[in-house]
Amino acid sequence: MSEETDRNTRPKASIEQRVVATKEALIDAGRITEADLDQFAHMAQDWRPENGAKVVARAWTDPDFRARLLEDATSACAEMGYAGPQGEYIVALEDTPDRHNVIVCTQCSCTAWPVLGLPPDWYKSPAYRARVVREPRRVLREMGLQLSNEVAIRVWETSAETRYMVIPLRPEGTQSLTEDALANLVSREALIGVALANPPTR
Amino acid sequence: MSEETDRNTRPKASIEQRVVATKEALIDAGRITEADLDQFAHMAQDWRPENGAKVVARAWTDPDFRARLLEDATSACAEMGYAGPQGEYIVALEDTPDRHNVIVCTQCSCTAWPVLGLPPDWYKSPAYRARVVREPRRVLREMGLQLSNEVAIRVWETSAETRYMVIPLRPEGTQSLTEDALANLVSREALIGVALANPPTR
Amino acid sequence: MDGIHDLGGTQGFGRIDIEADEPVFHHPWQRTSFALMMATQIVMRSHNTDEYRHAIERMHPAHYLLCDYYERVLTGTVSLLLEKGHLSREDLEQRAGGVFELAGPVADRPMADLTPQPEARFSVGDRVRVLTISPSGHIRAPKFCRGHEGTVIHRAPKFRFPDTSAHGGELRKEHTYHVEFASKDLWSDSDAANDSVIVDLWDSYLEASS
Amino acid sequence: MDGIHDLGGTQGFGRIDIEADEPVFHHPWQRTSFALMMATQIVMRSHNTDEYRHAIERMHPAHYLLCDYYERVLTGTVSLLLEKGHLSREDLEQRAGGVFELAGPVADRPMADLTPQPEARFSVGDRVRVLTISPSGHIRAPKFCRGHEGTVIHRAPKFRFPDTSAHGGELRKEHTYHVEFASKDLWSDSDAANDSVIVDLWDSYLEASS
């Protein structure tokens, strides 16, 4: 019997069963508590792309903040209260009319949790991780972002400890919007670089 | 929903159902017949490692044949009646006391069908294909063949049209054996190079 | 194609177990799958071997790794039967009673720009280097040897060039060479001091090395 | 480790679909898996992040490709809990009611022989080449950039060197550099004329290039 056949014929515990078994074994052994788990589950809910969107909106409206963000994004984000695990060294990547930035982690699924949130499924998919470094223009087009061939794409591979966030271009016709309204135009996808900031709704 | 999730949630036809559907669709369309399929299924049963074992036994006992085999294995095998698909260009690899040969196809699972037979599951497994080029000594050891460090291993990658067969070392104490008895000592695994020829039974 | 099929040197797989007295086929459907593969190429002449190998390479990586060899055989064969218009997916799925997993599409520009080599350029003893090409279509130079230097130890006859044959390109034949690479050159951390890997490579995959 | 996890540039995957309004977790078990990963590292201090990442890399390739991200998270975490002796497989499988798929073992000699670089050797604008090392253990230089030349565009602070940290080797910190590679240098058939890939690489992965 081949190894694959063997792997497929033994009865496996479901993922739900495995998670519960691990949790209960560790709690029964006194190694962790329910409260520990709740704490981290709550942290995960606090890391959200709305945080990064607020950073972007401030950078669009406050030239001094923008300068600080581009110089030292870790401090600039911390200034706004966004810091913590996977946010120890953040670098902000500013799009320009002729340069578009996009982020990937080909080797696992690293992201700047405090400003981008835990990554979405598409970011963690083997397909995105495999393809966007090699054929970014095609991948972005498939995902709905058609870039002119004049725009150079920079794909940032998050293989070490730097965590990135994209500062997308500020959309046209947003001169009169408040910082809060501007933040609403910036999706998680825009912070990763697979979408642009949304145009203002009328 | 991610692409993987999507792939896993749609109901799939079983492999048995897919095979039957294909066969019946082609037969109903008049593109192939049951007789065609029977013909190829029977060919598969005629390609067997016993063929290669007989080639090896003759090479061990007939120096002229051995010379022809090493010079042009395709003709030497055809002389014994072993020819056909995946046997268009065969090269025989003779083991020596300080050189051991082993065959793999890392990119699919090519083999010299007429002399080795259709390959066994282990030969087709991703594990064998991935590992034996990189760590042959360890793989052979795991498979039960412990080679001295003095013996150099040559791993032959069957990525083009050459098909290989290994001529293992003739075991000690086989001077009195007939060609047929010698052939019985040569397994499919020995023809691929993951085993030696067996010692004679008392 | 830098696909999952190009497994040489990939790590993380487990043990390899030999089944004693393994039969040619474990299940009747495997025999039929094999016979269908042969009959569609030899009787129907639906597609050639290079197209067939590439169709298997185009399977989704997870499907490729998980399934039995004869399921790969069927999947590659049927993908081509559909692509060539011999069968319809709808009819097949109706007959099969469910989704029929197929290979992905051929890349837009599958062929590398390689110069045909009608005459053998290399001889036994020559040092050669494998080009660092990475076409999105069929190629039979394993990734692990690209960019590496080896020595020609045998010149084989001319064979059909798979990269073009798989994609309806110019039909051409070229010599292949058995090129020997030192294992420690291929993988820096190999402990295989004297071991080597021999790869059978077409002329136009190679360039002279000093 | 040249494992399945090192996906950059691998071909054969399909489309990427964005789920509208995707929740942080789709199932409660994913939340628990995430919390277990954090608690075992931060509260229990069972293992470090580099060991954890490498444990996921050691999963069987088919399992890795097929399963949900949070199943990889759990599998890596639990493999280390067992390897470190915090839990027993027997107890876990009894509680789970079935086989508990785990990562494969660490390689015998997982670390490449790299010289620690306590001081930054490179500056913005320098041309560098990534070493063509291929250790069997943890390494954070993706395969697709090894052996290739690029330009340093940023120097980051010192960070713990993952290759040794993942394997109980000497604890050391080194600067990383954002190295920009032209896409067409990485993949010969790329049509990305002006595009580039930037990889964050530790000092000792690099050598000066002219």
Side-chain angles (χ1 to χ4, degrees):
Chain A
M1 191 174 288
S2 78
E3 77 182 80
E4 289 98 315
T5 318
D6 187 47
R7 288 177 64 83
N8 293 334
T9 52
R10 295 156 67 205
K12 291 174 190 167
S14 74
I15 181 63
E16 289 86 351
Q17 290 170 315
R18 282 176 278 156
V19 168
V20 170
T22 306
K23 171 183 160 178
E24 294 187 346
L26 288 173
I27 290 178
D28 288 355
R31 305 303 303 267
I32 59 169
T33 63
E34 284 275 9
D36 294 328
L37 297 177
D38 286 345
Q39 176 201 346
F40 293 111
H42 279 113
M43 285 172 85
Q45 302 284 352
D46 289 340
W47 301 318
R48 15 179 7 130
E50 288 78 2
N51 301 350
K54 287 178 190 160
V55 173
V56 168
R58 182 157 304 172
W60 283 344
T61 52
D62 177 344
D64 289 343
F65 180 80
R66 172 181 168 275
R68 289 202 300 283
L69 181 68
L70 294 179
E71 175 66 27
D72 178 355
T74 322
S75 303
C77 291
E79 223 179 88
M80 295 182 65
Y82 310 135
Q86 298 294 308
E88 288 89 352
Y89 182 64
I90 303 174
V91 167
L93 308 168
E94 191 179 47
D95 285 347
T96 67
D98 55 11
R99 180 179 289 168
H100 180 84
N101 295 286
V102 58
I103 306 170
V104 64
C105 176
T106 64
Q107 300 200 310
C108 42
S109 298
C110 296
T111 340
W113 294 345
V115 279
L116 267 61
L118 290 180
D121 275 357
W122 64 261
Y123 184 87
K124 297 175 289 194
S125 71
Y128 181 73
R129 292 164 50 195
R131 294 183 57 202
V132 76
V133 282
R134 185 162 183 161
E135 43 177 1
R137 204 167 293 271
R138 184 186 199 109
V139 167
L140 295 181
R141 193 168 57 233
E142 283 182 17
M143 295 176 86
L145 174 52
Q146 179 94 37
L147 292 174
S148 151
N149 284 335
E150 313 302 305
V151 178
I153 303 177
R154 274 186 157 177
V155 184
W156 297 78
E157 217 292 284
T158 313
S159 47
E161 299 301 331
T162 308
R163 296 293 169 266
Y164 301 101
M165 65 178 292
V166 175
I167 312 296
L169 289 171
R170 180 170 173 168
E172 306 279 321
T174 55
Q175 294 78 355
S176 60
L177 293 192
T178 63
E179 200 177 310
D180 280 354
L182 286 169
N184 283 335
L185 305 179
V186 181
S187 66
R188 168 163 58 192
E189 281 65 37
L191 292 165
I192 298 176
V194 300
L196 303 180
N198 292 314
T201 49
R202 309 160 173 275
Chain B
M1 191 175 287
S2 79
E3 76 182 86
E4 291 97 315
T5 318
D6 186 49
R7 289 175 65 83
N8 294 333
T9 50
R10 294 156 67 204
K12 290 174 189 167
S14 74
I15 180 64
E16 290 86 351
Q17 289 170 315
R18 280 176 279 157
V19 168
V20 169
T22 307
K23 172 184 159 179
E24 294 187 347
L26 288 173
I27 290 178
D28 288 355
R31 305 303 303 267
I32 59 168
T33 64
E34 283 276 7
D36 294 328
L37 297 177
D38 286 347
Q39 176 201 346
F40 292 111
H42 279 113
M43 285 172 83
Q45 301 285 351
D46 289 339
W47 301 318
R48 17 183 359 133
E50 288 78 1
N51 302 350
K54 287 178 187 159
V55 173
V56 169
R58 182 156 302 170
W60 283 345
T61 52
D62 177 343
D64 289 344
F65 180 80
R66 171 181 169 277
R68 289 202 299 284
L69 181 68
L70 294 178
E71 175 66 25
D72 178 356
T74 322
S75 302
C77 291
E79 220 180 271
M80 294 182 66
Y82 309 135
Q86 297 294 308
E88 288 89 350
Y89 183 63
I90 303 175
V91 167
L93 309 168
E94 192 178 47
D95 285 348
T96 66
D98 55 11
R99 178 179 291 169
H100 181 84
N101 295 287
V102 59
I103 305 169
V104 64
C105 176
T106 63
Q107 300 200 308
C108 41
S109 297
C110 297
T111 340
W113 293 346
V115 280
L116 267 62
L118 291 181
D121 275 356
W122 64 260
Y123 184 87
K124 296 174 291 195
S125 70
Y128 181 73
R129 293 164 49 195
R131 294 183 57 203
V132 76
V133 282
R134 185 161 184 162
E135 44 176 1
R137 206 168 291 273
R138 183 184 200 112
V139 167
L140 295 180
R141 192 167 61 235
E142 282 181 18
M143 295 177 86
L145 173 52
Q146 179 93 38
L147 292 174
S148 151
N149 283 336
E150 313 302 306
V151 178
I153 303 176
R154 275 186 157 178
V155 184
W156 296 79
E157 216 291 286
T158 312
S159 46
E161 298 302 330
T162 308
R163 295 293 169 267
Y164 301 101
M165 65 178 292
V166 174
I167 313 296
L169 289 171
R170 180 171 173 165
E172 304 279 321
T174 55
Q175 296 76 0
S176 60
L177 293 194
T178 63
E179 202 178 306
D180 279 356
L182 285 169
N184 284 333
L185 305 179
V186 181
S187 65
R188 169 165 56 194
E189 279 65 37
L191 292 165
I192 298 175
V194 300
L196 303 179
N198 292 314
T201 50
R202 309 158 172 274
Chain C
M1 177 180 188
D2 289 330
I4 191 71
H5 70 283
D6 192 5
L7 283 165
T10 306
Q11 299 179 304
F13 292 98
R15 283 182 56 86
I16 300 137
D17 294 311
I18 298 179
E19 177 185 348
D21 301 319
E22 183 179 329
V24 178
F25 300 108
H26 291 80
H27 306 287
W29 69 262
Q30 296 174 323
R31 177 185 294 110
T32 310
S33 171
F34 175 80
L36 284 167
M37 180 270 284
M38 297 291 281
T40 50
Q41 290 181 51
I42 296 173
V43 178
M44 279 182 67
R45 299 190 171 280
S46 157
H47 47 264
N48 68 41
T49 302
D50 301 302
E51 292 175 295
Y52 161 71
R53 288 192 183 126
H54 187 55
I56 291 178
E57 295 166 3
R58 294 187 270 119
M59 288 172 64
H60 190 278
H63 185 202
Y64 184 102
L65 281 183
L66 215 63
C67 78
D68 182 87
Y69 171 77
Y70 290 106
E71 181 168 343
R72 295 201 288 275
V73 166
L74 184 82
T75 307
T77 298
V78 173
S79 298
L80 287 164
L81 292 173
L82 298 185
E83 291 166 16
K84 303 266 181 184
H86 297 304
L87 296 177
S88 86
R89 184 169 190 165
E90 193 180 6
D91 174 55
L92 267 186
E93 296 200 333
Q94 193 157 26
R95 288 174 186 265
V99 166
F100 206 121
E101 278 193 290
L102 298 167
V106 177
D108 289 342
R109 300 179 302 114
M111 289 186 274
D113 186 21
L114 293 175
T115 309
Q117 301 297 340
E119 297 307 322
R121 291 181 300 161
F122 306 107
S123 307
V124 169
D126 285 357
R127 290 288 285 174
V128 291
R129 183 185 288 105
V130 186
L131 301 179
T132 53
I133 46 176
S134 49
S136 298
H138 191 53
I139 177 170
R140 292 295 273 185
K143 188 93 174 163
F144 69 75
C145 72
R146 294 188 212 155
H148 287 276
E149 283 183 41
T151 303
V152 173
I153 62 172
H154 177 76
R155 183 162 71 196
K158 288 185 176 184
F159 289 108
R160 204 159 62 170
F161 188 61
D163 303 38
T164 46
S165 168
H167 297 294
E170 175 196 7
L171 282 183
R172 69 197 217 212
K173 287 191 167 192
E174 279 182 16
H175 284 280
T176 70
Y177 304 88
H178 299 179
V179 179
E180 182 168 25
F181 301 88
S183 299
K184 60 181 167 36
D185 287 349
L186 297 177
W187 293 287
S188 65
D189 293 49
S190 173
D191 55 356
N194 298 311
D195 299 342
S196 59
V197 179
I198 294 96
V199 187
D200 193 8
L201 294 163
W202 269 268
D203 199 309
S204 64
Y205 293 155
L206 304 172
E207 64 184 3
S209 162
S210 49
Chain D
M1 176 178 189
D2 288 330
I4 191 72
H5 70 283
D6 192 3
L7 283 165
T10 305
Q11 299 178 305
F13 292 99
R15 282 182 57 87
I16 301 137
D17 293 312
I18 298 178
E19 177 186 347
D21 302 317
E22 184 179 329
V24 179
F25 300 108
H26 291 80
H27 307 287
W29 68 262
Q30 296 175 323
R31 177 185 295 108
T32 309
S33 172
F34 175 80
L36 284 167
M37 179 271 282
M38 297 292 281
T40 50
Q41 291 181 48
I42 295 173
V43 178
M44 280 182 65
R45 299 192 171 278
S46 158
H47 46 264
N48 67 41
T49 301
D50 301 303
E51 294 175 294
Y52 161 71
R53 289 193 183 127
H54 187 55
I56 291 179
E57 295 166 2
R58 293 188 270 120
M59 288 173 64
H60 190 279
H63 185 200
Y64 183 100
L65 281 184
L66 215 63
C67 78
D68 182 88
Y69 171 77
Y70 290 106
E71 180 169 345
R72 296 201 288 274
V73 165
L74 184 83
T75 307
T77 298
V78 173
S79 298
L80 287 164
L81 292 173
L82 298 185
E83 291 166 17
K84 303 266 180 185
H86 297 303
L87 295 177
S88 87
R89 183 170 190 163
E90 195 180 5
D91 174 55
L92 266 187
E93 296 200 334
Q94 195 157 25
R95 288 174 186 265
V99 167
F100 206 121
E101 279 193 291
L102 297 168
V106 176
D108 290 344
R109 300 178 304 112
M111 286 185 276
D113 186 21
L114 293 176
T115 309
Q117 302 296 339
E119 298 306 324
R121 291 182 299 159
F122 305 107
S123 308
V124 170
D126 284 357
R127 289 289 284 174
V128 291
R129 183 187 287 105
V130 186
L131 300 179
T132 54
I133 47 174
S134 49
S136 299
H138 191 55
I139 177 171
R140 292 294 272 186
K143 187 92 174 165
F144 70 75
C145 71
R146 295 188 210 154
H148 287 275
E149 283 181 41
T151 303
V152 173
I153 61 172
H154 177 77
R155 184 161 72 194
K158 288 185 176 186
F159 290 108
R160 203 159 64 168
F161 188 60
D163 303 38
T164 47
S165 168
H167 297 294
E170 173 197 8
L171 282 184
R172 69 196 217 214
K173 287 190 168 192
E174 280 181 15
H175 284 280
T176 69
Y177 304 88
H178 299 180
V179 180
E180 181 168 26
F181 301 88
S183 299
K184 62 181 167 37
D185 287 349
L186 297 176
W187 293 288
S188 64
D189 292 50
S190 172
D191 55 357
N194 298 312
D195 299 342
S196 59
V197 179
I198 294 98
V199 187
D200 193 8
L201 295 162
W202 269 268
D203 198 309
S204 64
Y205 292 155
L206 303 172
E207 63 185 3
S209 164
S210 47

